[in-house]
């Protein structure tokens, strides 16, 4: 039967390692001279990075299946845009595409008509009515 090393908790196979009896009479199995040396120096296994005690203390090597972190799912939230309330946005989304395209075409036509009217008005008023002084650059010094 195998024993466990008191220092690093690895299995000690028969015929290897040393049995160390402490002053209080408790037997301690040590798997290697390294383990024996560290035990006699009174080093704590939990402070040595390569020991099982340290790995247990710092939660290393646990199976990934048990330790999957739960992530909170992000919730999609619709917010109102400046100039449009949430109800208006939902109403527009529920409208059919043909209806919206027809509305868009009507709005474009209206804008074009307005531009045409403005052009006709400005051309009829007078050509060359702008009587302004010629522009002079500001950074040029005048004498």
């Amino acid at each position: 039967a195998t024993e466990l090393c008191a220092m690093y908790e690895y299995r000690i196979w028969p015929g290897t390692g040393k049995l160390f009896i402490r002053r209080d009479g408790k037997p301690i199995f040590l798997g290697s001279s390294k383990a024996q040396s560290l035990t006699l120096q009174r080093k704590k296994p939990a402070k040595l990075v390569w020991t099982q005690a340290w790995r247990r203390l710092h939660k290393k090597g646990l199976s990934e299946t048990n330790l999957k972190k739960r992530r909170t799912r992000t919730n999609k939230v619709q917010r109102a845009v400046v100039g449009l309330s949430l109800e208006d946005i939902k109403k527009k989304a529920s409208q059919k595409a043909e209806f919206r395209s027809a509305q868009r075409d009507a709005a474009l036509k209206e804008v074009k008509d307005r531009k045409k009217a403005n052009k006709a008005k400005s051309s009829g008023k007078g050509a060359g009515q702008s009587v302004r002084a010629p522009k002079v650059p500001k950074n040029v010094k005048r004498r």
Side-chain angles (χ1 to χ4, degrees):
T2 59
E3 300 289 341
L4 288 180
C5 176
M7 178 58 77
Y8 48 78
E9 297 175 38
Y10 289 168
R11 276 190 251 140
I12 304 170
W13 300 99
T16 59
K18 289 185 178 179
L19 176 60
F20 177 71
I21 310 293
R22 274 202 321 214
R23 258 197 226 138
D24 61 359
K26 188 182 177 196
I28 289 179
F29 293 94
L30 301 165
S32 65
S33 58
K34 180 180 181 179
Q36 184 184 5
S37 171
L38 290 166
T39 305
L40 293 174
Q41 291 173 55
R42 291 193 159 81
K43 298 288 182 196
K44 289 180 180 163
K47 287 191 175 183
L48 299 168
V49 179
W50 52 274
T51 61
Q52 291 301 312
W54 186 90
R55 292 181 66 80
R56 201 179 312 109
L57 198 67
H58 292 86
K59 297 183 174 78
K60 304 290 177 190
L62 297 171
S63 60
E64 283 77 39
T65 52
N66 301 347
L67 263 180
K68 275 194 176 173
K69 285 190 177 177
R70 288 197 183 101
R71 255 191 288 172
T72 53
R73 265 244 161 102
T74 53
N75 298 329
K76 284 191 178 182
V77 177
Q78 264 197 325
R79 291 209 185 111
V81 183
V82 177
L84 274 180
S85 67
L86 193 58
E87 290 83 42
D88 293 342
I89 294 172
K90 284 183 178 174
K91 203 187 302 173
K92 275 196 174 180
S94 65
Q95 287 173 350
K96 286 199 168 92
E98 298 94 44
F99 180 71
R100 278 210 308 272
S101 60
Q103 270 189 332
R104 196 181 308 116
D105 293 340
L108 276 170
K109 193 175 182 188
E110 187 187 326
V111 169
K112 281 181 183 175
D113 290 344
R114 214 179 310 135
K115 275 189 178 177
K116 204 181 265 183
N118 284 348
K119 213 175 206 182
K121 202 186 287 180
S122 65
S123 64
K125 247 186 185 173
Q129 247 196 0
S130 61
V131 183
R132 289 185 183 157
K135 287 188 177 177
V136 180
K138 289 180 182 177
N139 60 354
V140 177
K141 291 183 179 177
R142 292 185 213 112
R143 289 183 202 155

